[in-house]
Amino acid sequence: MNKIIAIENARIARCDADWQGQLDNYTILIQSGKILWFGESLQVPQKYIANIHQRVDMNHKIITPGFIDCHTHLVYGGHRASEYGQRLQGISYAEIAQNGGGILSTVKSTRASDVQTLFDSASLRLQHWLKSGFTTIEIKSGYGLDKKNELKMLQVIAYLDKKFPIRMSPTLLAAHTLPPEFKNRPDDYINWIIDDLIPDVVRLNLAKSVDVFCEKIGFSLSQSKKLLENARASGLQIKIHAEQLSDSKGAKMAAELGAQSADHLEYLDESAIKAMQKSQTVAVLLPVAYYFLRENHVPPIELLRQYQIPIAIASDSNPGSAPITSPLLTLNMASTFFKLTHVEVIKGVTLNAAKALKLDHLTGSIEIGKEADLAIWDINDLEELCYWIGNNPCYGRYVSGEFFKN
Ligand SMILES: [Zn+2]
């Protein structure tokens, strides 16, 4: 029998499907990177005790599953502080985008940056996630918008995956905005992504999912549908940025195609929620973009609860609408702006975020057989994870059974 690590005297928040609160005086046994057993410390089965080669006393610290950020744009060149300055003078995000700013200005600086530069700047940002209890992160492309630069971004994500102890879920978001080369030709661009880009991405195994920005300033409903249908036919998972600034019906369409998640959803309506319920599409809420763009249209939380749609919370970290590098702040914003309970928020960055990435068979809850991805918190009450603003009480993480102290 392989050696066993025993994490003892812990308070745990399992975050599994039936989870409601925390359990005290618990032990978690880890073997070969996976959770072998967990339960009350006095109940550790005799058959395992002889093989315990390391005992770790948690001294009643709280252990949650490792946190999961299921929606980020962490790799990019430059930043957009000057646009923020324009917005402070009263120019809207949509206006800035229409004037060639917005995403396109980040496209310019990303295209001008080499792999090493992009890797270095993303590595610095990623440190904050590693230090804040995150063991899985999704990162999207979408600032290259041509073959060379979209593949370059996905390659940077693959290098980050190799270098850092965090599970990575890469997403192709070439349909983020229209590149200058395809000006006024959105249908041609979508066809190009389908015919030319996706086959290479699949061949090189550089992305797990395909995403699209379905919005007046992004891509239309029919363009988004065509892309997602073809991405799905290529064996990739599908996701959508939908209903952020208006009700474009993107979430309903994506749910009907079996999307893993629909993200943003401020303007989501009930018919879309019904479709999401049928397909078990996860609602990914992004409170930081809501805050930074000073939106005032809250996603329909009560309806999402009523239809028991799994709700995930993510940072959306990106240079335009959510330049966040303190990922735990997302939890506070989700509870403050969207009035989610601390149980909903914590489930939103664990089990439901794992579902949004189709990784819930591996991670996202403390259950026997799952990867030992754990976050250890130096706190007294679980509510503290939503309560503090700008505090990081993370003590360390286990990623597949390997410990990383903060
Ligand atoms: Zn986004």
Side-chain angles (χ1 to χ4, degrees):
M1 189 184 255
N2 285 337
K3 289 176 173 175
I4 295 171
I5 303 167
I7 300 175
E8 300 176 321
N9 283 322
R11 282 187 286 165
I12 69 164
R14 289 158 52 187
C15 300
D16 61 351
D18 308 317
W19 169 66
Q20 287 300 332
Q22 68 202 40
L23 304 158
D24 206 356
N25 292 317
Y26 261 56
T27 291
I28 301 174
L29 301 182
I30 300 174
Q31 188 182 48
S32 307
K34 293 188 163 43
I35 297 171
L36 174 69
W37 180 89
F38 71 92
E40 287 182 48
S41 294
L42 294 172
Q43 310 286 329
V44 177
Q46 204 59 37
K47 61 180 176 180
Y48 297 138
I49 291 177
N51 287 294
I52 294 176
H53 81 116
Q54 187 191 358
R55 290 175 184 275
V56 186
D57 185 352
M58 278 298 150
N59 202 12
H60 304 285
K61 289 187 184 64
I62 291 183
I63 301 185
T64 63
F67 279 6
I68 298 168
D69 195 341
C70 64
H71 182 141
T72 85
H73 310 247
L74 212 69
V75 173
Y76 54 85
H79 60 73
R80 305 229 294 270
S82 64
E83 271 180 26
Y84 182 57
Q86 289 180 42
R87 278 183 37 218
L88 293 177
Q89 291 171 44
I91 305 169
S92 75
Y93 183 66
E95 270 176 281
I96 291 171
Q98 273 155 12
N99 294 331
I103 297 170
L104 278 181
S105 67
T106 299
V107 171
K108 238 189 203 164
S109 26
T110 303
R111 285 181 175 183
S113 305
D114 61 16
V115 167
Q116 189 66 47
T117 309
L118 291 174
F119 178 84
D120 290 345
S121 61
S123 298
L124 285 176
R125 289 188 280 272
L126 188 59
Q127 294 304 322
H128 296 282
W129 275 254
L130 301 177
K131 296 283 182 201
S132 305
F134 286 78
T135 55
T136 300
I137 189 168
E138 185 256 18
I139 306 181
K140 302 174 197 296
S141 69
Y143 297 117
L145 312 186
D146 62 17
K147 187 177 281 183
K148 179 178 151 216
N149 290 293
E150 282 295 301
L151 294 181
K152 177 176 79 179
M153 287 191 72
L154 292 171
Q155 197 62 61
V156 169
I157 298 169
Y159 290 145
L160 292 168
D161 187 16
K162 256 199 192 133
K163 173 86 189 274
F164 295 102
I166 189 162
R167 207 175 294 286
M168 191 72 69
S169 188
T171 298
L172 175 71
L173 177 61
H176 198 185
T177 193
L178 200 58
E181 295 80 6
F182 282 87
K183 200 170 179 202
N184 300 324
R185 293 190 295 134
D187 291 313
D188 291 349
Y189 182 57
I190 293 291
N191 288 338
W192 174 80
I193 297 174
I194 292 168
D195 298 334
D196 214 337
L197 184 58
I198 288 181
D200 277 359
V201 169
V202 169
R203 185 173 53 78
L204 298 167
N205 195 23
L206 283 174
K208 217 179 114 180
S209 310
V210 167
D211 195 345
V212 56
F213 185 35
C214 181
E215 192 62 63
K216 281 178 201 143
I217 58 167
F219 294 90
S220 73
L221 186 63
S222 62
Q223 289 154 357
S224 303
K225 185 174 181 201
K226 185 171 184 191
L227 175 68
L228 294 185
E229 272 173 346
N230 280 278
R232 191 185 58 176
S234 303
L236 296 165
Q237 290 167 32
I238 54 174
K239 331 170 72 57
I240 189 163
H241 283 68
E243 276 74 274
Q244 179 188 8
L245 307 170
S246 62
D247 183 7
S248 53
K249 310 287 176 206
K252 183 166 190 239
M253 174 276 291
E256 284 165 357
L257 294 179
Q260 210 60 44
S261 74
D263 303 30
H264 281 295
L265 309 180
E266 275 81 348
Y267 290 84
L268 191 68
D269 74 5
E270 191 166 357
S271 71
I273 295 177
K274 283 181 182 166
M276 290 173 71
Q277 186 193 41
K278 241 190 194 162
S279 55
Q280 278 299 293
T281 299
V282 177
V284 178
L285 306 184
L286 307 170
V288 184
Y290 172 90
Y291 155 78
F292 197 69
L293 297 178
R294 285 191 226 132
E295 294 290 333
N296 49 23
H297 208 286
V298 176
I301 303 295
E302 221 25 81
L303 280 174
L304 290 171
R305 283 180 181 136
Q306 200 182 310
Y307 286 92
Q308 296 183 322
I309 309 295
I311 298 174
I313 308 295
S315 73
D316 194 20
S317 185
N318 77 75
S321 60
I324 183 169
T325 57
S326 307
L328 293 177
L329 190 53
T330 309
L331 282 70
N332 176 272
M333 289 188 181
S335 42
T336 305
F337 289 131
F338 299 162
K339 298 193 178 129
L340 295 171
T341 67
H342 74 284
V343 167
E344 287 172 322
V345 170
I346 292 167
K347 217 164 179 176
V349 290
T350 54
L351 184 62
N352 289 346
K355 285 182 182 169
L357 300 176
K358 212 177 188 174
L359 287 174
D360 50 312
H361 59 294
L362 275 186
T363 190
S365 57
I366 299 177
E367 290 182 80
I368 291 171
K370 281 198 176 181
E371 295 291 313
D373 290 354
L374 306 169
I376 302 157
W377 306 98
D378 220 341
I379 53 176
N380 291 316
D381 301 304
L382 211 48
E383 287 89 336
E384 288 183 64
L385 293 173
C386 295
Y387 167 75
W388 295 110
I389 298 173
N391 184 29
N392 178 8
C394 185
Y395 172 80
R397 309 174 302 146
Y398 279 89
V399 183
S400 291
E402 196 182 338
F403 182 60
F404 300 90
K405 192 173 185 311
N406 265 9

